[in-house]
Amino acid sequence: MKKVLLVEDDVVLHDLYKEALTPHDITVTAVTTGKECIASALTNAPDLVMLDIMLPGGMNGFDVARELRQNPKTSATPILILTNLDSEKASADAVKAEYMVKTNTSMDEIVGKVKSMLNMA
Amino acid sequence: MKKTVSSQTRFILLSLGLILCYFILGKTGLSFASINPSASAIWPPTGFAIAVLLLYGIRLWPVVFIGAFLVNITTSGTWATASGIALGNTLEAIAAALLVNKYAGGIHAFERPLNTVRLAFLAGVVATIISASIGTATLLLSGLTTPDQLINIWITWWMGDMGGAIIFTPLILLWHTSPRVSIKPFKAIEYMLLMIFLGFICYLLFITNFPHPYLFILPLIWAAFRFELRETATLLAIVMSVTTYATTHGRGPFFTHAMSVNEALLQLQIFMVIVGVTKLTVAAAVEDNKRIDQKLFAKERRFQALIEKNTDAVVLIDPGAVITYASPSTLTVLGYTSDEVTGKNGFSFIHEEDIPRAKDDLKKVVLHPNDPVIGNYRMRRKDGSWVWIETIGRNLLFDPAVQALVINFRDVTDRKKLEEAKDDFLMTAAHQLRAPLTAMRWNIESLFGHDIPKEFRTKLEQMYERNKQMIKAVNEVLDIAHIIQGKLPNNAEKTDIMMLINNQINEYAQFAKRRNITINLTGDTGSMWAIVDPKHFNDALGNLLSNAVKYSYDRSTVTVDIARVKNTATISISDSGIGIPKNEQGKMFTKFYRATNAKVADAQGNGLGLFIVKSYTEGWGGKVTLESPVIQDQGTKISITIPLIKGGT
């Protein structure tokens, strides 16, 4: 059972991600802000972090990613950035994160990507 | 009533004054007569009479008649001879005035060189025959001369009148039309020098008997080039008077071959006629040139004023971008005076990020003479602030009047800010739209995974199709905003574009099959590699394939042909569909433009597809060409040519 931490302010999407990933033996913990994400990551040690960029609460996705990379406990955790901004691939590369544009991606493709990042394929 | 009386009085006084002038001139002229008391070798009254009739109208002919009658009645002969001679003089003046008015521009004859020659010929040579003939006949009939003298008297009379007309008519007309004398110190000194020179020539000719009267041409040429026509005419009259006076007193070059004073005067007369006509013509031509120069100068001033008062600034630069001229508006646009920028390199004012673009644009200007090249750069004002400047460059190096690259430029900062605001709005709006579209998409996808009745599934499929269309539309708007802002995400990498072409063809083949359209792939279809962003390549090719299928007729074929030449590949997509009207082909790559027949065939579509194809292709260092026959319904062929790199992985 792999653990995925999801940060996404649109709660409708929480359910959709969960619905798609759970059948693949992946548990999804969903939070809506960057601070909650850091706290959860440090206590739960997820196998993968799925990160939106535009987040409420003052920290954007890249702020979160940088902090995760700086903390030894999470510095090696794979990060998948899922966003609707398509101009930030370079910033994603800088924090060694994978990058997908949500609207242009089907849920099946996301599931495939997550599984490959968790070496489950 | 009072006015009429006073103008009548003025008319009578004028007439009396003119008669008196005529009388004095006539008496002076006759004092040079030697062959016959009535036939003088110099006859200024002819010139005076012609000028009077030209200036005051032919109705003043009685002035000439009375003046001539009085001169002759007091010289010799009877009422009859005086009347006859006066009649000849009057008819001569009337004929001259009529001819000059009709054919030589009247009193404006001196404004054109050709009219000056006509005046000399008509008044001087033609009209004077009348007076000479009537006068000589009168003398013969009244027994004042004998038939053997006749021809000599006739020639003397004719030449005398001719000299009078050619020398004095212009003198009077010119002084009358511009009587004002404005004395400029340098001109006055020059005129004095000219007179001294003339005096020296007179000394040579008449005191030392130097035998070349054509020396007079020198001061007359001087006058023609340096002074006005009026002054030249005056000088001519002075030369005429001096030489006539000297010749009647038995001195000067005209005695070299002459037997008598009259013969010498005749020679003088011929000389003066030739010199007079030549000089007046030269002087009129010089005047004409001056007038043209003045007109040109005024024109140049006008254009200069247009440039200098224009709010747009203009600089001239050489091919190395060094500024050779800057119009005064540079101060308004950039805060620098013309002098502060002249000699500087134009690039030194441009933002360093924009310099590569500016250099490319300069290259375009240099390579394409006459084609205007438009550029947009940030430039630093003198106060250190940055402004957006739009430039229009044109290569006029080969225009002899300019010999520079001409750059018009203006401040477009406000416009640029508006454009940026608009583009930002587009981006924000597009992002706002993406979030709900994503949720819709994934919800529908999630429903597909459930066991649902068939009719619901069909409806869901329709919703999913529309959702994808909306996502595509939003993506295109975003791409445009990115392209315009120069912030297009570009993840170019070494890509096997043949693989992408195959994938795209497979994808669109499904769509084409519904209308029985086949997509064929021809040409060199082996792997080929280029540095492109795969997403951009797919978008571009997808746009072209989608257009080709959309605007084809059912049961037709779309052909994708690959041709390789050296290190480039040309991918041509041709269909046999509705085509593009010839007059719209140039606009097809403009954003939001849709051909009129395309709008009819398909109401949807945003007119962004080809703009995106062109922007991407140019980004890869390639180019797009459009071929569509003039006749509609003959299909369209669009080719993308892109540079390739060496293969392998």
Side-chain angles (χ1 to χ4, degrees):
Chain A
M1 200 63 143
K2 295 280 186 181
K3 291 182 288 179
V4 166
L5 172 58
L6 170 70
V7 197
E8 167 64 64
D9 57 326
D10 186 348
V11 289
V12 172
L13 299 189
H14 287 189
D15 293 341
L16 287 165
Y17 282 121
K18 283 179 185 168
E19 191 188 319
L21 291 169
T22 315
H24 298 275
D25 280 346
I26 300 167
T27 51
V28 178
T29 311
V31 296
T32 51
T33 68
K35 281 179 186 156
E36 290 169 322
C37 170
I38 305 267
S40 175
L42 292 177
T43 48
N44 298 331
D47 300 301
L48 175 78
V49 177
M50 293 168 73
L51 196 54
D52 191 12
I53 292 177
M54 287 162 88
L55 293 171
M59 275 180 100
N60 70 32
F62 290 118
D63 299 331
V64 176
R66 272 190 293 272
E67 226 173 293
L68 294 176
R69 287 280 171 264
Q70 276 163 15
N71 195 307
K73 283 188 180 170
T74 52
S75 62
T77 311
I79 301 175
L80 171 58
I81 287 177
L82 284 155
T83 175
N84 274 327
L85 300 173
D86 49 13
S87 50
E88 305 298 334
K89 181 151 191 328
S91 308
D93 289 342
V95 288
K96 297 189 181 70
E98 294 287 321
Y99 185 87
M100 288 181 122
V101 177
K102 287 187 278 190
T103 34
N104 298 338
T105 316
S106 70
M107 189 51 92
D108 286 349
E109 288 169 318
I110 292 173
V111 172
K113 184 77 181 175
V114 169
K115 283 171 78 178
S116 85
M117 286 177 78
L118 292 170
N119 298 316
M120 294 169 73
Chain B
M1 267 309 174
K2 201 184 168 197
K3 201 180 168 191
T4 320
V5 172
S6 95
S7 73
Q8 263 176 5
T9 316
R10 272 225 315 265
F11 179 74
I12 291 165
L13 284 173
L14 173 73
S15 303
L16 288 174
L18 291 172
I19 291 168
L20 184 66
C21 288
Y22 191 99
F23 184 76
I24 294 168
L25 282 170
K27 277 294 177 192
T28 318
L30 281 184
S31 68
F32 296 115
S34 57
I35 187 167
N36 185 295
S38 300
S40 169
I42 175 158
W43 188 241
T46 292
F48 179 75
I50 295 170
V52 165
L53 297 196
L54 282 171
L55 287 168
Y56 298 105
I58 297 186
R59 68 197 174 109
L60 247 73
W61 64 266
V63 166
V64 181
F65 187 84
I66 297 169
F69 180 81
L70 288 177
V71 171
N72 284 287
I73 197 81
T74 55
T75 306
S76 65
T78 62
W79 281 74
T81 50
S83 300
I85 292 168
L87 179 70
N89 282 328
T90 309
L91 289 177
E92 167 193 72
I94 291 172
L98 285 172
L99 288 169
V100 169
N101 275 334
K102 189 159 172 58
Y103 298 109
I107 57 169
H108 303 293
F110 304 102
E111 285 171 15
R112 291 177 58 198
L114 187 61
N115 280 342
T116 307
V117 177
R118 284 182 182 146
L119 177 133
F121 178 73
L122 297 171
V125 181
V126 177
T128 45
I129 294 172
I130 300 170
S131 177
S133 304
I134 295 178
T136 319
T138 307
L139 290 181
L140 185 71
L141 289 173
S142 55
L144 288 173
T145 186
T146 51
D148 58 310
Q149 284 279 10
L150 207 60
I151 191 71
N152 271 344
I153 292 179
W154 190 86
I155 289 175
T156 307
W157 200 304
W158 188 42
M159 297 307 289
D161 280 15
M162 199 186 290
I166 288 172
I167 308 290
F168 290 96
T169 306
L171 180 71
I172 296 163
L173 287 181
L174 288 166
W175 275 100
H176 192 274
T177 46
S178 55
R180 199 168 294 169
V181 182
S182 59
I183 299 169
K184 290 172 191 150
F186 285 110
K187 276 283 165 199
I189 290 168
E190 189 179 346
Y191 206 74
M192 276 163 62
L193 286 173
L194 177 59
M195 295 315 266
I196 292 167
F197 183 49
L198 187 64
F200 174 66
I201 288 171
C202 289
Y203 169 80
L204 280 181
L205 294 177
F206 302 117
I207 310 294
T208 68
N209 280 322
F210 188 71
H212 298 293
Y214 291 95
L215 277 181
F216 276 126
I217 288 176
L218 298 174
L220 287 168
I221 284 181
W222 180 350
F225 278 97
R226 298 287 303 158
F227 297 96
E228 284 172 29
L229 203 50
R230 195 183 62 184
E231 274 78 36
T232 311
T234 311
L235 200 70
L236 202 60
I238 293 171
V239 169
M240 171 85 163
S241 308
V242 169
T243 46
T244 308
Y245 179 82
T247 308
T248 42
H249 287 79
R251 303 207 67 94
F254 299 105
F255 275 98
T256 319
H257 305 290
M259 295 297 117
S260 65
V261 170
N262 197 64
E263 228 171 278
L265 280 175
L266 213 61
Q267 285 195 8
L268 158 69
Q269 210 53 67
I270 295 166
F271 166 76
M272 287 312 297
V273 166
I274 293 168
V275 168
V277 171
T278 315
K279 278 322 108 197
L280 283 175
T281 312
V282 168
V286 170
E287 281 280 285
D288 206 37
N289 262 336
K290 276 188 206 159
R291 246 193 309 274
I292 291 168
D293 280 356
Q294 274 167 1
K295 269 187 195 163
L296 280 176
F297 183 66
K299 211 171 181 180
E300 199 182 303
R301 282 287 296 273
R302 195 163 70 232
F303 283 121
Q304 196 152 10
L306 277 177
I307 286 179
E308 291 181 354
K309 301 286 183 291
N310 199 333
T311 48
D312 283 12
V314 182
V315 292
L316 301 184
I317 59 173
D318 66 15
V322 174
I323 297 168
T324 55
Y325 166 84
S327 74
S329 303
T330 310
L331 185 66
T332 333
V333 180
L334 289 178
Y336 292 99
T337 64
S338 307
D339 289 343
E340 284 171 326
V341 298
T342 306
K344 298 251 169 65
N345 191 299
F347 291 132
S348 61
F349 301 96
I350 295 178
H351 195 284
E352 63 176 316
E353 284 174 20
D354 296 343
I355 285 178
R357 212 149 33 82
K359 284 191 170 162
D360 279 355
D361 288 342
L362 181 68
K363 209 184 284 169
K364 276 186 215 159
V365 173
V366 172
L367 290 179
H368 305 287
N370 294 322
D371 284 351
V373 176
I374 297 176
N376 278 283
Y377 326 105
R378 283 161 288 178
M379 291 181 82
R380 201 186 52 251
R381 284 178 56 91
K382 195 181 180 184
D383 61 18
S385 63
W386 290 94
V387 284
W388 274 100
I389 298 292
E390 180 181 82
T391 61
I392 303 170
R394 204 182 258 273
N395 179 351
L396 294 180
L397 280 173
F398 303 105
D399 185 329
V402 186
Q403 297 181 12
L405 307 176
V406 180
I407 315 290
N408 282 55
F409 62 105
R410 62 168 82 149
D411 187 337
V412 292
T413 310
D414 289 345
R415 196 179 81 194
K416 204 82 185 174
K417 276 182 185 157
L418 272 176
E419 278 174 8
E420 275 171 11
K422 184 192 77 192
D423 293 337
D424 282 346
F425 169 77
L426 278 179
M427 292 249 246
T428 317
H431 284 131
Q432 299 288 347
L433 287 170
R434 270 183 164 178
L437 285 172
T438 310
M440 282 166 70
R441 175 179 184 166
W442 291 350
N443 268 312
I444 297 169
E445 284 173 358
S446 135
L447 285 174
F448 281 145
H450 291 78
D451 191 14
I452 45 174
K454 193 167 184 277
E455 68 265 34
F456 289 173
R457 182 168 287 274
T458 312
K459 285 189 174 17
L460 271 181
E461 274 167 359
Q462 284 168 1
M463 283 168 67
Y464 192 59
E465 196 60 41
R466 293 293 179 273
N467 171 268
K468 271 182 149 176
Q469 276 177 15
M470 281 183 71
I471 289 173
K472 186 167 183 283
V474 168
N475 284 347
E476 282 180 347
V477 171
L478 269 173
D479 284 347
I480 296 290
H482 286 316
I483 288 169
I484 292 168
Q485 290 188 332
K487 293 180 194 161
L488 185 73
N490 187 359
N491 302 306
E493 57 191 38
K494 187 174 173 182
T495 309
D496 179 2
I497 56 173
M498 201 55 228
M499 195 183 76
L500 299 182
I501 293 170
N502 279 315
N503 291 343
Q504 287 289 310
I505 290 175
N506 287 337
E507 191 162 310
Y508 280 92
Q510 307 299 318
F511 169 54
K513 209 175 165 188
R514 290 185 217 162
R515 292 176 46 216
N516 287 316
I517 296 170
T518 328
I519 304 180
N520 280 343
L521 177 63
T522 62
D524 187 346
T525 56
S527 287
M528 53 187 184
W529 300 81
I531 303 285
V532 297
D533 181 330
K535 177 188 174 294
H536 294 177
F537 190 86
N538 283 335
D539 285 352
L541 196 68
N543 276 332
L544 295 178
L545 283 170
S546 141
N547 280 345
V549 172
K550 197 155 57 173
Y551 300 116
S552 277
Y553 298 107
D554 290 357
R555 286 176 294 280
S556 63
T557 306
V558 168
T559 305
V560 180
D561 182 72
I562 316 292
R564 283 191 227 195
V565 178
K566 288 182 186 166
N567 298 323
T568 61
T570 300
I571 305 149
S572 306
I573 291 127
S574 40
D575 62 61
S576 49
I578 62 170
I580 297 167
K582 189 78 182 170
N583 60 342
E584 297 184 58
Q585 291 184 9
K587 303 176 194 157
M588 289 314 298
F589 295 100
T590 325
K591 59 182 183 247
F592 299 115
Y593 191 85
R594 295 192 69 211
T596 41
N597 57 346
K599 284 189 217 165
V600 175
D602 175 23
Q604 297 192 2
N606 52 22
L608 295 175
L610 289 183
F611 176 76
I612 290 174
V613 171
K614 183 172 188 269
S615 305
Y616 285 166
T617 311
E618 286 175 357
W620 305 324
K623 66 173 200 282
V624 189
T625 50
L626 166 69
E627 291 167 45
S628 195
V630 184
I631 316 154
Q632 280 187 30
D633 295 337
Q634 294 289 311
T636 304
K637 178 178 173 184
I638 295 188
S639 307
I640 298 179
T641 302
I642 66 170
L644 297 178
I645 54 161
K646 277 196 181 141
T649 40

